[in-house]
Amino acid sequence: MNDPIIQPNNSAEIKANRNLSIWVGVLGLVGFGLCYALFFALMFLQPGLIFKLIPMPAITAAAISDGEQTYLLTDKIDMSSVDPRQERPPEVKHLLSLLTGTEPGTAQEIPAYAQAIGAKGRLLFLEPGGYRMYDGSRWVDKRADAIGNDPRGILAPAGLYVLSNHDSGPRLNLITSETTLPLPLPPEFLAVEQQECLCAKLALYQGDLCLFWKGDETLSWAILDGETWSAVATWPFSGGYDVISDDSNLYLFQREGEGLERTISYLVFANAAWSEPRQLPIKSGFTDWDAFIEQGKLKIFVQQLMTQTLYTIKEETLVDPIRLKGPFDPSPWIGRGAVLVIFGNGLSLLAIFAISAGIGRFKKRIWRDGDVEYEFASLFRRSLAMILDNLLLFVAPLLVMALALPGFDEIPGNPVRFMLTIFSALALFFVGGFLYHSLLEGLYGQTLGKKICGIRVLKADFSPCGVAAGFVRNLLRIADAFFYYLVSIIAMAANLKWQRVGDVVADTVVVKVRKGE
């Protein structure tokens, strides 16, 4: 380059700048096109690659006990094998792990199952046409044609009671190691329209089989004494329920209400009568729950988005909580997110540095106004200042979310509040950011990021910027941001004063702060 000083009326330099902007635009569009082509090619040829880098969380399907220990059943969607060319859908992996302390042990993958039950030191996984038994160390597979679809079962001293759907309708069988004994079902149960076994549950009460089922806004139950069913008891009910028992009592857990009104209570059947409902002090926002008997103690496992807690129930209180991380616990992702942000910004700055150096090689930056020389800020300095300002602007929205949402576990119970909080945080970031840039640049010529990077906003005649010009130049960021700020880069390459679109409209420039200024 001959003369480092920009000559305002140099037509050759103006033409060179325009040619430079054309090359920047062409190379930028080609670069974006190649990146998108590579992305779509990978998604087509290796569609599961991105999910290998970002694993899906494991969702707890249930917590069960063999009477001595607690096991967690989790489902994990494996997207790595997805292939639309072969119509290969995502795979759901079923995992079993023993709860040791406050962390699940090593998970082992198990085949799909319809229901998992536990008792007497064993776990049973029912499936159509058979079941698998696990004693904590080894597996035993059993085939049983008497087990149909959607089986519900319970272990008893006499054998395995199974209620399942068959072509002819629901059937109840007692399966032993040698025989299968068909048992009758209550006429009231068979009379329920579109009866599904999934809505029915089996339990034992002092050795007798109990059958519970839901109807239209009702819950019914009966006891099988030998081969005869007792009179059916029915009462109004809606919501979810579960039934478990120990040696002397029968426990009916029920979930009622929705949102913030969702509650869990339980009743005890003893001495041929039900107790009054006992309300459990469980916070709203739980997504699911499982109740069971372990070492003679009544327990409940409560699932929330960020936490999972195993409680021991004593009357209407919850004691001895064992807290585990939930499927959407943010702690593992905070560090990953920070690394991702740093890595992404680092790559962006490297790319911007290369582009800035390339533009600076063919474009002059010194402007003489009388006896004073001004050096226009490079693309790299301006980009670094913007990144620093954005990091600062993230603080306020994060504080709003932290104060407005004391716990993400309450989101399912209050989705409106969650959406309002997210909307408020986004509005604070964008509106607050606009005011932050406009006012500080208009009044002082610098934001905190620009001050750190040693650059300042002035009018094109190098007088102070002014609030009006500050508002205009920042309003036009919407246009400058197209194609990942490629529009602003092309504009800076095209004109003599390194102005983006917002600068051109507002008649402003960005210069380096001179020593001693």
Side-chain angles (χ1 to χ4, degrees):
M1 300 177 64
N2 300 325
D3 187 358
I5 305 298
I6 299 174
Q7 302 297 325
N9 298 318
N10 189 329
S11 59
E13 189 171 345
I14 293 174
K15 183 178 180 180
N17 278 200
R18 289 175 179 173
N19 291 336
L20 177 62
S21 68
I22 293 173
W23 277 107
V24 169
V26 170
L27 292 176
L29 291 175
V30 170
F32 282 127
L34 291 176
C35 289
Y36 281 116
L38 178 61
F39 173 78
F40 285 112
L42 287 175
M43 289 299 293
F44 182 75
L45 298 174
Q46 294 289 333
L49 179 61
I50 188 172
F51 297 104
K52 292 180 180 179
L53 301 176
I54 307 175
M56 302 293 287
I59 307 298
T60 303
I64 60 174
S65 176
D66 61 2
E68 297 296 326
Q69 302 178 99
T70 300
Y71 290 85
L72 297 183
L73 298 168
T74 55
D75 294 339
K76 188 170 185 178
I77 300 177
D78 183 10
M79 301 289 290
S80 61
S81 60
V82 173
D83 192 341
R85 296 170 300 170
Q86 301 180 9
E87 298 184 355
R88 187 186 301 163
E91 296 181 5
V92 179
K93 293 185 177 181
H94 305 280
L95 307 173
L96 171 68
S97 57
L98 174 65
L99 179 60
T100 55
T102 58
E103 293 290 337
T106 303
Q108 58 176 308
E109 186 175 351
I110 61 176
Y113 57 91
Q115 186 200 18
I117 55 179
K120 302 182 182 301
R122 296 173 294 172
L123 300 180
L124 233 65
F125 295 85
L126 298 175
E127 61 181 7
Y131 61 88
R132 292 181 301 278
M133 187 180 298
Y134 180 64
D135 63 3
S137 59
R138 64 188 184 93
W139 292 87
V140 177
D141 288 350
K142 297 286 187 181
R143 306 310 301 167
D145 295 335
I147 301 179
N149 297 320
D150 301 328
R152 306 287 96 182
I154 188 169
L155 282 169
L160 174 63
Y161 287 100
V162 177
L163 172 66
S164 57
N165 285 326
H166 296 260
D167 293 338
S168 58
R171 296 182 189 175
L172 177 63
N173 293 295
L174 174 59
I175 301 174
T176 66
S177 59
E178 299 177 354
T179 62
T180 298
L181 175 64
L183 297 173
L185 285 166
E188 294 86 347
F189 174 80
L190 296 173
V192 176
E193 294 184 3
Q194 298 179 349
Q195 178 65 53
E196 296 181 3
C197 293
L198 287 174
C199 295
K201 297 184 184 294
L202 301 175
L204 290 178
Y205 177 63
Q206 297 182 354
D208 293 330
L209 180 67
C210 302
L211 173 62
F212 290 77
W213 68 93
K214 286 183 65 175
D216 185 13
E217 301 295 324
T218 61
L219 183 64
S220 304
W221 81 296
I223 300 177
L224 179 64
D225 183 8
E227 296 183 357
T228 304
W229 288 96
S230 67
V232 174
T234 301
W235 59 88
F237 179 78
S238 62
Y241 79 101
D242 198 4
V243 185
I244 59 175
S245 62
D246 55 20
D247 294 336
S248 57
N249 297 323
L250 191 64
Y251 303 93
L252 171 63
F253 286 81
Q254 53 189 12
R255 174 191 57 79
E256 296 179 295
E258 296 296 337
L260 292 176
E261 304 300 324
R262 181 183 292 182
T263 61
I264 295 180
S265 60
Y266 74 101
L267 299 82
V268 182
F269 186 78
N271 300 321
W274 287 101
S275 69
E276 291 296 320
R278 301 174 182 178
Q279 190 76 40
L280 294 176
I282 296 176
K283 293 174 60 179
S284 63
F286 62 88
T287 58
D288 207 349
W289 53 276
D290 298 283
F292 49 85
I293 304 292
E294 182 180 295
Q295 298 181 7
K297 297 179 180 179
L298 185 60
K299 299 201 171 186
I300 187 168
F301 183 80
V302 180
Q303 300 181 45
Q304 295 177 298
L305 290 178
M306 294 174 59
T307 59
Q308 304 176 112
T309 309
L310 177 63
Y311 297 99
T312 299
I313 301 175
K314 286 189 176 181
E315 299 296 333
E316 297 183 11
T317 61
L318 300 173
V319 299
D320 303 328
I322 299 177
R323 304 191 186 281
L324 297 83
K325 295 179 181 178
F328 298 99
D329 174 62
S331 55
W333 295 97
I334 291 176
R336 297 178 187 175
V339 171
L340 183 62
V341 169
I342 294 172
F343 181 73
N345 283 321
L347 283 181
S348 299
L349 283 176
L350 285 176
I352 291 170
F353 179 79
I355 297 171
S356 180
I359 293 175
R361 182 176 179 84
F362 301 99
K363 186 175 176 65
K364 299 175 182 179
R365 286 177 30 201
I366 306 298
W367 185 283
R368 179 175 295 160
D369 184 36
D371 295 332
V372 182
E373 290 184 355
Y374 294 91
E375 181 179 351
F376 296 118
S378 66
L379 170 65
F380 178 75
R381 282 179 180 266
R382 295 175 68 164
S383 300
L384 180 59
M386 184 180 68
I387 290 175
L388 294 175
D389 283 326
N390 285 338
L391 292 177
L392 175 65
L393 290 170
F394 266 118
V395 174
L398 291 177
L399 287 176
V400 168
M401 294 185 65
L403 294 175
L405 295 175
F408 280 96
D409 288 329
E410 299 181 9
I411 290 174
N414 199 344
V416 175
R417 180 180 179 182
F418 173 70
M419 293 304 297
L420 288 175
T421 302
I422 295 296
F423 178 79
S424 300
L426 290 174
L428 180 61
F429 177 76
F430 288 107
V431 177
F434 174 72
L435 295 175
Y436 166 82
H437 283 280
S438 300
L439 292 175
L440 290 183
E441 290 172 1
L443 295 173
Y444 306 104
Q446 292 178 303
T447 60
L448 182 60
K450 285 182 171 61
K451 186 174 182 63
I452 293 174
C453 293
I455 58 179
R456 171 175 292 164
V457 180
L458 299 173
K459 292 288 287 183
D461 60 1
F462 304 105
S463 61
C465 175
V467 174
F471 272 88
V472 172
R473 76 182 304 272
N474 284 289
L475 183 62
L476 268 295
R477 284 184 185 273
I478 299 172
D480 281 300
F482 276 107
F483 289 101
Y484 304 96
Y485 282 91
L486 178 61
V487 169
S488 65
I489 297 174
I490 294 174
M492 290 173 65
N495 63 76
L496 299 179
K497 293 185 176 181
W498 292 69
Q499 295 169 298
R500 59 178 178 84
V501 175
D503 288 319
V504 173
V505 176
D507 198 29
T508 56
V509 293
V510 182
V511 300
K512 285 181 63 176
V513 176
R514 292 170 297 174
K515 293 182 179 181
E517 187 177 13

